[in-house]
Amino acid sequence: MEIVILPTAADVARTAADAIEQQVRSGPSVLGLATGSTPLGTYQELIERHRSGGLSFATSQAFLLDEYLGLASTHPQSYHSVIRGEFTDSVDFGADAVHGLDGTAKDPASEALRYEASIEAAGGVDVQILGIGTDGHIGFNEPMSSLASRTRIKTLTRQTRQDNARFFENPADVPDHVLTQGLGTIGEARHILLLAMGESKAEAIAAAVEGPVAAMCPASALQLHPHVTVLVDEAAASKLAHRDYYQDTFGRKPQWQGL
Ligand SMILES: N[C@@H]1[C@@H](O)[C@H](O)[C@@H](COP(=O)(O)O)O[C@@H]1O
């Protein structure tokens, strides 16, 4: 795991965009996209680089992490709609290149299997962007999710429903259930970028990075992954015990090869 502490949220967004740009410019790529407010600055950066820097996503594909059960892809708060509005419609992904889970599938268990198969058929995810919930969830893998879990239905905690209520007109409209890639599924991405900004994420980041690997903090499963880059601003890094070490080592690898 590489922990990169940056002065501001804008620096986190730029650095994440650098890693994604490098991947996309290397050839046809499969990106794993997260929703939530955390990656929005990164998506803005990528849109800007598409418009003014010629960055093209035309040969790339994207897979969403998760989806609310019961929301059609046309519902404004479905993650399908959100990712289109915040990112993918503003760049040049091909038609059908942005994949998501169908929240209205009649048989969610089959939908989960279909999704796993489609990620595999695409060759797996090259770079996965992740935010983190205040309780340490990634995707919608709430505490106590199996560290080996695959795409499946999950029930949201009260905390997550409260955290996400700000996106809905009425807090009671936040669905109880979701479909989410599992921790095992996410862990197959070849490079994972975990992003966090602000003090509200400081505890979750400390538990994910320095705590024990435990289902109580699903993001701690990332400690088992060979290539994770954690990009945090000062506030989100504020509860890390070994900040000095991370700051001393960043950029000083014997053979620096970027993120
Ligand atoms: N399923 C999403 C996660 O993918 C996201 O990381 C988390 C944090 O959201 P935010 O970035 O808005 O803090 O929220 C949701 O629960």
Side-chain angles (χ1 to χ4, degrees), residues 35-38 65-66 79 131-132 137 139-140 160 164 166 201:
T35 43
S37 43
T38 302
L65 272 178
D66 45 15
Y79 282 170
I132 187 168
H137 74 246
F140 268 133
T160 298
N164 289 1
R166 67 189 191 280
K201 300 296 173 71

Side-chain angles (χ1 to χ4, degrees), residues 20 30-35 43 63-66 119 125-131 139 181 185-195 222 225 227 229:
I20 294 160
V30 180
L31 304 179
L33 302 180
T35 43
Y43 297 149
F63 285 86
L64 298 190
L65 272 178
D66 45 15
I119 296 172
V125 171
D126 292 303
V127 180
Q128 174 67 57
I129 304 172
L130 292 178
Q181 287 189 36
T185 320
I186 293 169
E188 284 169 7
R190 288 180 274 281
H191 182 192
I192 294 179
L193 295 171
L194 174 65
L195 277 47
L222 300 175
H225 190 281
H227 192 188
T229 308

Side-chain angles (χ1 to χ4, degrees), residues 21-246:
E21 175 169 5
Q22 192 185 356
Q23 172 64 47
V24 169
R25 288 198 189 273
S26 75
S29 298
V30 180
L31 304 179
L33 302 180
T35 43
S37 43
T38 302
L40 293 182
T42 304
Y43 297 149
Q44 278 303 319
E45 273 287 327
L46 292 170
I47 292 168
E48 184 48 39
R49 293 176 195 197
H50 167 69
R51 288 185 180 150
S52 58
L55 178 63
S56 173
F57 296 84
T59 60
S60 292
Q61 297 193 65
F63 285 86
L64 298 190
L65 272 178
D66 45 15
E67 185 57 277
Y68 289 112
L69 262 186
L71 300 194
S73 61
T74 49
H75 186 289
Q77 288 314 322
S78 76
Y79 282 170
H80 266 100
S81 292
V82 169
I83 205 72
R84 281 196 303 264
E86 303 288 3
F87 178 41
T88 58
D89 278 0
S90 301
V91 296
D92 60 344
F93 281 104
D96 304 326
V98 180
H99 309 267
L101 284 146
D102 178 1
T104 59
K106 285 206 177 62
D107 179 354
S110 305
E111 172 60 6
L113 289 175
R114 179 201 66 79
Y115 201 58
E116 291 267 342
S118 66
I119 296 172
E120 202 182 324
V125 171
D126 292 303
V127 180
Q128 174 67 57
I129 304 172
L130 292 178
I132 187 168
T134 53
D135 59 3
H137 74 246
I138 51 176
F140 268 133
N141 292 280
E142 297 284 28
M144 299 313 294
S145 289
S146 159
L147 302 184
S149 50
R150 310 301 306 185
T151 304
R152 71 215 181 289
I153 297 180
K154 284 295 288 181
T155 304
L156 296 182
T157 61
R158 193 177 299 175
Q159 175 74 57
T160 298
R161 292 185 73 240
Q162 275 167 13
D163 286 349
N164 289 1
R166 67 189 191 280
F167 297 113
F168 290 78
E169 259 174 48
N170 180 349
D173 293 343
V174 183
D176 284 314
H177 297 100
V178 295
L179 275 167
T180 181
Q181 287 189 36
L183 295 172
T185 320
I186 293 169
E188 284 169 7
R190 288 180 274 281
H191 182 192
I192 294 179
L193 295 171
L194 174 65
L195 277 47
M197 287 91 92
E199 212 181 329
S200 66
K201 300 296 173 71
E203 225 161 275
I205 284 293
V209 171
E210 295 178 340
V213 175
M216 272 311 289
C217 177
S220 68
L222 300 175
Q223 293 177 31
L224 300 170
H225 190 281
H227 192 188
V228 174
T229 308
V230 181
L231 299 171
V232 283
D233 68 359
E234 293 280 355
S238 60
K239 295 203 167 142
L240 288 168
H242 299 278
R243 297 178 59 180
D244 291 350
Y245 173 66
Y246 310 136

